[in-house]
Amino acid sequence: MEKENSLSRGFSKAAKDYLFLLNRGYPETPAVTLVGNRYRLDKTERMILFRGICSSPRAITRRDKLSASSPGETLTIDGYNLLFTLLNYRLGKRMFLGYDGFLRDAGGTHGRFSERELFISLAGEMIRFLKTLGVAKIKFYLDSPVSHSAEHARALRRILEETGLPGECITCDSADFRVKQAKEGLVVTSDAAIIDSTPLLVFDGARSFLQDRFGASFLDLQEILSGP
């Protein structure tokens, strides 16, 4: 479990100051630099602020889109966003729940990795987990510029066939763009730009999977920001 006391003593105050600045329209990068320097935050803590905190109105809007998956749903999946999150957890990267309620990491693989067997294994576990939820169909989108994307797509198609879960895996120039175009079911991602753009509800598949299969718990920025 990610514990608040594993952070620096000034992190909580820095998070609240950062939110204060965002709520008053300050741009993110200068605001992170300002509070990071003031409270002497390290690189990881600054990244947690940057990736985990948005303005309060935006956080509320995103939380309103957060949904559980239910039987019969069609899932449109931001493939690398989901699978890299799982991989980063297994590799011991710093994970946390953002102010908007979505699971994120403090920076890690994001397009370059050498853990091929673990990646494919996690993809299989994730697909089998989705089958247990009773979803009707899944559609993975993978960014073709990512190394080995064609190989990953073949592996995902094979796993889908082996599990008997209806679905497909498509490589494309921009998975974000294609996922944003989904018109039915749920979107699976923790990417802020997709969450803000999609008209659909969003299932945080990585968080649900890790909590169910590994009993994972995470540092929660909403708790920190609402505390004394």
Side-chain angles (χ1 to χ4, degrees):
M1 176 179 178
E2 296 283 6
K3 293 185 180 297
E4 183 178 349
N5 61 15
S6 67
L7 298 166
S8 65
R9 292 178 61 184
F11 181 83
S12 178
K13 290 182 179 179
K16 292 170 184 175
D17 283 0
Y18 181 58
L19 177 61
F20 176 89
L21 294 173
L22 294 185
N23 282 342
R24 282 149 185 82
Y26 282 76
E28 296 169 342
T29 300
V32 165
T33 300
L34 178 64
V35 300
N37 290 346
R38 178 182 180 188
Y39 293 100
R40 299 181 180 180
L41 303 185
D42 63 24
K43 181 179 179 181
T44 297
E45 291 173 328
R46 294 175 192 231
M47 186 59 67
I48 292 173
L49 294 185
F50 186 78
R51 299 199 70 211
I53 300 178
C54 58
S55 69
S56 295
R58 183 164 292 179
I60 292 169
T61 298
R62 291 178 188 168
R63 283 185 224 128
D64 286 343
K65 289 186 176 182
L66 187 56
S67 173
S69 179
S70 56
E73 293 282 6
T74 295
L75 304 183
T76 300
I77 301 174
D78 182 8
Y80 282 130
N81 174 274
L82 171 64
L83 296 175
F84 281 148
T85 300
L86 302 184
L87 182 63
N88 284 335
Y89 175 83
R90 290 296 305 273
L91 294 177
K93 305 296 184 180
R94 192 63 180 271
M95 314 295 292
F96 59 91
L97 297 178
Y99 185 43
D100 57 11
F102 286 85
L103 179 65
R104 298 192 176 88
D105 60 73
T109 305
H110 300 299
R112 58 184 186 280
F113 63 95
S114 57
E115 302 287 343
R116 176 189 176 279
E117 291 185 4
L118 178 58
F119 182 84
I120 299 301
S121 174
L122 286 169
E125 289 184 52
M126 185 72 216
I127 288 173
R128 288 187 286 273
F129 172 68
L130 293 176
K131 185 176 182 180
T132 68
L133 298 181
V135 301
K137 179 181 180 181
I138 61 176
K139 183 178 291 187
F140 275 95
Y141 286 102
L142 300 180
D143 298 280
S144 56
V146 173
S147 298
H148 309 297
S149 59
E151 177 188 352
H152 297 154
R154 288 193 296 271
L156 287 169
R157 293 178 192 124
R158 184 184 67 251
I159 295 167
L160 285 168
E161 183 176 355
E162 290 172 352
T163 59
L165 178 60
E168 55 188 319
C169 183
I170 299 167
T171 57
C172 53
D173 290 339
S174 173
D176 286 19
F177 177 80
R178 299 292 293 274
V179 173
K180 289 176 185 177
Q181 305 308 306
K183 304 298 184 184
E184 63 174 342
L186 300 176
V187 162
V188 180
T189 190
S190 62
D191 182 277
I194 296 177
I195 297 168
D196 290 342
S197 298
T198 182
L200 302 178
L201 295 177
V202 183
F203 173 47
D204 191 347
R207 176 181 178 181
S208 181
F209 171 80
L210 292 174
Q211 290 177 329
D212 181 86
R213 295 300 169 91
F214 296 98
S217 56
F218 308 99
L219 171 76
D220 189 337
L221 292 181
Q222 191 173 353
E223 290 183 1
I224 289 176
L225 290 166
S226 63

